[in-house]
Amino acid sequence: MKLLEERIKKDGKALGKTVLKVDSFINHQVDSEFMDALGKDFAEHFKGCGITKVFTIESSGIAPALMTAKYLDVPMIILKKQTSKILNGKVYQTRVTSFTKGTSYELTLYQDYIDPSDKVLLIDDFLANGEAAMGASRLIKESGAELSGIGILIEKSFQKGRKRLEDAGYYVYSQARIGRLDKGVIEFLPEDAPVLEGVDEKELLDK
Ligand code: 5GP
């Protein structure tokens, strides 16, 4: 999606080989008009899929997910990152390891907000190793609902997430695909470029 690529070129900051900062329009300060445009694009992309709910993971996915849900005219559900297990049996929970922070959390969904008949679209800001998306997929599977598609703003194609999700049978649409990052360097891949194997973050840091 050209609009997002242009914005990343203008306002994104590559801190090194692995991390892209987009704090000025996605992660910290949020550009609402821009989020509206991204949500509209996701909604157009997934409109024929019978989506009944849009899911996201707190917190950076909330803005684009809300706009997507608005255009698809379905509810948006935020998967919470809890520090510990809830033992009352009314929730689905699964442990996820965060790439940026090097920490773990319990991804949590109250059973009230999902039904086995749901067809879910998952929206998230970044795809790196696919940990967060795979965690969300486990919760959705456990509920008996279907994960019908995954929409990502920024796919770091040189990492393993995209391949992992596709190997698990999920359809992924990324609005921007990044083939390489380095200090001050951001290289994009075309939307239809082949899916890369991807490397571990550690390998990138060792080079
Ligand atoms: P994954 O679960 O795919 O390994 O990582 C995705 C999550 O890690 C995203 O939800 C995002 O919060 C965070 N993340 C991964 N890479 C980056 C990055 O380069 N920049 C920022 N700001 N967040 C990232």
Side-chain angles (χ1 to χ4, degrees):
M1 191 209 186
K2 279 280 160 252
L3 189 68
L4 181 55
E5 278 187 22
E6 293 308 320
R7 188 66 184 262
I8 294 169
K9 279 184 203 156
K10 185 168 150 280
D11 293 328
K13 291 190 175 50
L15 300 185
K17 289 185 164 61
T18 59
V19 177
L20 176 67
K21 263 183 100 78
V22 286
D23 277 7
S24 67
F25 62 109
I26 297 176
N27 289 151
H28 203 348
Q29 173 170 265
V30 182
D31 180 336
S32 58
E33 285 299 323
F34 189 69
M35 290 300 137
D36 189 278
L38 299 186
K40 196 171 185 182
D41 178 68
F42 278 134
E44 272 163 20
H45 196 91
F46 288 100
K47 70 177 173 223
C49 302
I51 301 299
T52 59
K53 275 174 193 155
V54 173
F55 275 33
T56 193
I57 299 161
E58 64 177 352
S59 58
S60 310
I62 294 174
L66 183 64
M67 297 303 175
T68 307
K70 181 183 87 162
Y71 282 108
L72 286 172
D73 198 18
V74 297
M76 188 267 286
I77 284 103
I78 304 163
L79 300 177
K80 306 274 188 178
K81 294 174 178 171
Q82 306 272 1
T83 48
S84 57
K85 282 236 174 263
I86 296 174
L87 298 169
N88 66 14
K90 290 186 180 147
V91 297
Y92 299 113
Q93 282 193 309
T94 188
R95 182 153 282 274
V96 170
T97 304
S98 158
F99 157 77
T100 32
K101 299 180 195 94
T103 52
S104 289
Y105 54 85
E106 294 288 338
L107 195 65
T108 302
L109 167 65
Y110 268 81
Q111 294 181 355
D112 290 353
Y113 303 121
I114 193 158
D115 185 87
S117 63
D118 277 325
K119 287 169 81 80
V120 176
L121 169 62
L122 175 70
I123 300 288
D124 204 5
D125 59 343
F126 276 91
L127 177 60
N129 295 309
E131 292 297 332
M134 286 303 292
S137 80
R138 290 194 293 277
L139 296 184
I140 294 163
K141 204 172 185 178
E142 201 184 336
S143 75
E146 178 186 306
L147 177 53
S148 305
I150 300 173
I152 299 291
L153 273 62
I154 304 171
E155 168 190 313
K156 295 196 292 182
S157 308
F158 54 88
Q159 293 190 251
K160 296 182 178 228
R162 173 78 183 252
K163 174 97 179 30
R164 222 175 135 193
L165 295 177
E166 292 205 348
D167 285 351
Y170 298 115
Y171 171 75
V172 181
Y173 164 56
S174 302
Q175 292 177 323
R177 300 183 68 200
I178 294 181
R180 192 172 80 90
L181 280 180
D182 212 332
K183 215 170 181 345
V185 178
I186 307 171
E187 285 177 11
F188 293 94
L189 291 180
E191 189 185 324
D192 58 359
V195 172
L196 306 178
E197 280 294 324
V199 296
D200 274 329
E201 199 188 317
K202 193 173 171 303
E203 282 178 55
L204 292 164
L205 298 172
D206 287 344
K207 275 179 196 159

